[in-house]
Amino acid sequence: MSTGSQRSTRREIARSAATSIIGRGISAALTAALILFLVRALSAYQYGIFALAVSISELLILPADAGLTGAAARFAAEQRDNAAAVAALITRATRLKFIVMAAICAILALAAGSIARAYALPGLAWPLRVAALAGVGESSVYFSSIIFMALRRAGLTLRLLAAESVLEFTASVALVLSGARVLGAIAGRAIGYIAGATVGWLLMRPHRRRTAGHIAAIMPIRVLLRYAAAVAAVDLVTTSLFYIDVPIIGALLGPHAVAIFQAPLKLTAFLALPAAAVSQAVAPHVARSRAGDRLAADELATILRLMTLCYAFATPLILVWADPVARALLGTHYVSSGEVIQLLTPYVFLLGAAPLLADGVTYLGVARRRVPFAIAALAVNVTLDFLLLPAIGVIGASLATDAGFAVAVGGNLLLCRSGLKFSMRPMVATGARAVLASAVVWLVLTSLGGASMSLPSTLVSVLLSPMIFMAAALLTGEGVIRQVGVLVRSILIRPKHP
């Protein structure tokens, strides 16, 4: 790739990341506000029913698009300069998704009564049925947003996520305040996602225009389905990895324990925001395209190292202040939620690189090779859930999540390294230095009083922590910060033309 092309690619990534952060920031802020409203408006038992219904529906519905979203995104990124191929691809994928999602929604709605009886929770049946409808809308919104990012139309993703989030928040609050309680919270979620799916369909219309030839001639269905099958296997396992804890907690410990675990976990959406936004902006550039503007392996490695450092900085802050913050935000019924978050610090540390590694594997076209790692991760998570939850309670799910997530991220790192041929040594060195810098920040904060610090001391500590972390990282020889400076200058400084 030429220097001019590299600079253009970097600028496009920067613009896409910024736009994605704004869109996801709006979504995360409204999601957090809604969770804080629900934990106050509903009892812990009622919120547990809500969380259980949402988790079960997402566990069954989100992987049920048969991998079509990931497969369609990969091919859209590769063919983005071919409008006819993109239109054919979107048309094919949309039709197939509608058929599959409608069938799964109907099955879940019919099985809701049996699932509720299995949990000995009769009040779970109708929330499950409405959650099935919400899951279909959520899958459609996700499909549209991922396709927009694959086509490098981040502005459309911003509009879609903002519209869905505002509608979901407004409908949920109105219905719960009207007295609908758990069912109202689920119905508000369904209204938001179905409306969001409609917005996505309208925004997608220019990309679905009729093609000159027959769709099958431009995008053969077997090509789409072959790769979708591989992505589906991975989606099934990875979605289970993220949502399996809640159904297991509900079965072993009950709805109240579900609320204690799931409420703080949902609030970590803010922590996932930068990593997800960067991934959506960068990952499409990993795909091979006719334009030849594929991201260089060393640049991807630099971005991964930077995200690792950023999320490592968050871990000592979580260890010190998670408990008082959880008590202040969630209330006295969620006293164990702070410990749940503290024990998720390994998960938070890995969250920086995880989305980009996972999406990178998909865009590289090697999703099939993720399956063994994904199965191993799920097996570790589920096994530890059943071993730890009866022994130490709901905090066992945090440790199980950490272990399963580590297996999944490690597998994706190996696959990206194999596909792009970047060196592992700088990645490992950055990880080690990040852990050391985090330990230094934690020691400083605890020596100053930790969570018992006064408000002025806390504010000063928050302001000093980034400088302490960066100083510790630089003193240990970490060079990615300087490399990022070079990248930023190459983005901002335009070449002088004679």
Side-chain angles (χ1 to χ4, degrees), residues 402-498:
D402 293 335
F405 197 58
V407 174
V409 173
N412 290 334
L413 176 59
L414 292 176
L415 292 176
C416 276
R417 187 243 181 210
S418 175
L420 293 172
K421 310 300 181 186
F422 57 77
S423 175
M424 286 286 289
R425 183 176 297 178
M427 291 287 299
V428 174
T430 294
R433 291 166 184 147
V435 171
L436 181 59
S438 299
V440 171
V441 174
W442 179 78
L443 286 172
V444 171
L445 293 177
T446 52
S447 67
L448 293 174
S452 61
M453 282 188 283
S454 63
L455 181 58
S457 298
T458 300
L459 294 176
V460 172
S461 298
V462 170
L463 294 174
L464 290 178
S465 293
M467 291 181 280
I468 296 171
F469 181 87
M470 289 185 66
L474 290 172
L475 287 173
T476 56
E478 181 53 54
V480 72
I481 299 173
R482 288 187 289 271
Q483 293 178 19
V484 170
V486 173
L487 282 176
V488 170
R489 285 194 295 274
S490 72
I491 291 171
L492 298 178
I493 300 174
R494 297 181 179 273
K496 294 181 179 180
H497 298 286

Side-chain angles (χ1 to χ4, degrees), residues 106-476:
I107 292 171
L108 180 57
L110 291 173
S114 300
I115 295 173
R117 286 191 294 272
Y119 276 92
L121 296 170
L124 182 62
W126 271 105
L128 266 178
R129 294 185 179 105
V130 180
L133 186 62
V136 173
E138 183 178 6
S139 178
S140 299
V141 169
Y142 177 69
F143 174 79
S144 297
S145 66
I146 294 299
I147 293 296
F148 291 148
M149 293 304 295
L151 296 175
R152 307 182 189 180
R153 299 293 306 277
L156 296 180
T157 299
L158 168 61
R159 292 158 63 183
L160 172 60
L161 294 179
E164 186 282 320
S165 300
V166 170
L167 291 167
E168 180 186 353
F169 179 84
T170 304
S172 298
V173 171
L175 289 171
V176 171
L177 290 178
S178 71
R181 314 300 290 175
V182 177
L183 196 58
I186 298 284
R189 179 181 176 85
I191 291 170
Y193 275 117
I194 294 300
T198 304
V199 172
W201 185 85
L202 293 172
L203 293 175
M204 191 80 74
R205 187 166 49 185
H207 299 286
R208 292 195 317 269
R209 60 183 179 274
R210 294 184 179 273
T211 58
H214 191 270
I215 291 175
I218 300 174
M219 176 55 64
I221 190 171
R222 67 180 181 275
V223 176
L224 178 62
L225 292 182
R226 187 182 300 120
Y227 194 67
V231 178
V234 176
D235 282 353
L236 178 62
V237 180
T238 52
T239 302
S240 300
L241 182 64
F242 283 104
Y243 293 104
I244 196 65
D245 295 293
V246 169
I248 294 176
I249 294 170
L252 296 180
L253 303 179
H256 187 270
V258 168
I260 290 174
F261 179 78
Q262 201 260 6
L265 191 63
K266 291 290 285 184
L267 291 178
T268 61
F270 270 114
L271 296 177
L273 163 65
V278 168
S279 176
Q280 286 197 349
V282 174
H285 293 268
V286 174
R288 298 174 179 87
S289 70
R290 299 187 306 173
D293 54 353
R294 188 178 187 180
L295 188 69
D298 59 339
E299 293 181 343
L300 178 68
T302 298
I303 294 170
L304 288 170
R305 292 168 61 195
L306 176 64
M307 297 306 298
T308 299
L309 280 175
C310 291
Y311 277 74
F313 168 68
T315 56
L317 307 184
I318 292 172
L319 286 172
V320 171
W321 285 302
D323 187 61
V325 169
R327 289 173 182 269
L329 293 179
L330 300 177
T332 57
H333 295 296
Y334 297 83
V335 290
S336 300
S337 291
E339 191 174 2
V340 167
I341 299 176
Q342 287 173 326
L343 291 176
L344 283 170
T345 48
Y347 165 83
V348 172
F349 173 71
L350 295 171
L351 193 59
L356 181 52
L357 288 171
D359 291 341
V361 171
T362 298
Y363 281 102
L364 280 171
V366 293
R368 292 181 186 85
R369 296 171 60 187
R370 284 180 64 189
V371 175
F373 296 105
I375 292 175
L378 180 61
V380 168
N381 195 337
V382 171
T383 301
L384 289 178
D385 272 337
F386 280 104
L387 289 176
L388 296 177
L389 285 172
I392 60 176
V394 70
I395 60 174
S398 296
L399 299 175
T401 298
D402 293 335
F405 197 58
V407 174
V409 173
N412 290 334
L413 176 59
L414 292 176
L415 292 176
C416 276
R417 187 243 181 210
S418 175
L420 293 172
K421 310 300 181 186
F422 57 77
S423 175
M424 286 286 289
R425 183 176 297 178
M427 291 287 299
V428 174
T430 294
R433 291 166 184 147
V435 171
L436 181 59
S438 299
V440 171
V441 174
W442 179 78
L443 286 172
V444 171
L445 293 177
T446 52
S447 67
L448 293 174
S452 61
M453 282 188 283
S454 63
L455 181 58
S457 298
T458 300
L459 294 176
V460 172
S461 298
V462 170
L463 294 174
L464 290 178
S465 293
M467 291 181 280
I468 296 171
F469 181 87
M470 289 185 66
L474 290 172
L475 287 173
T476 56

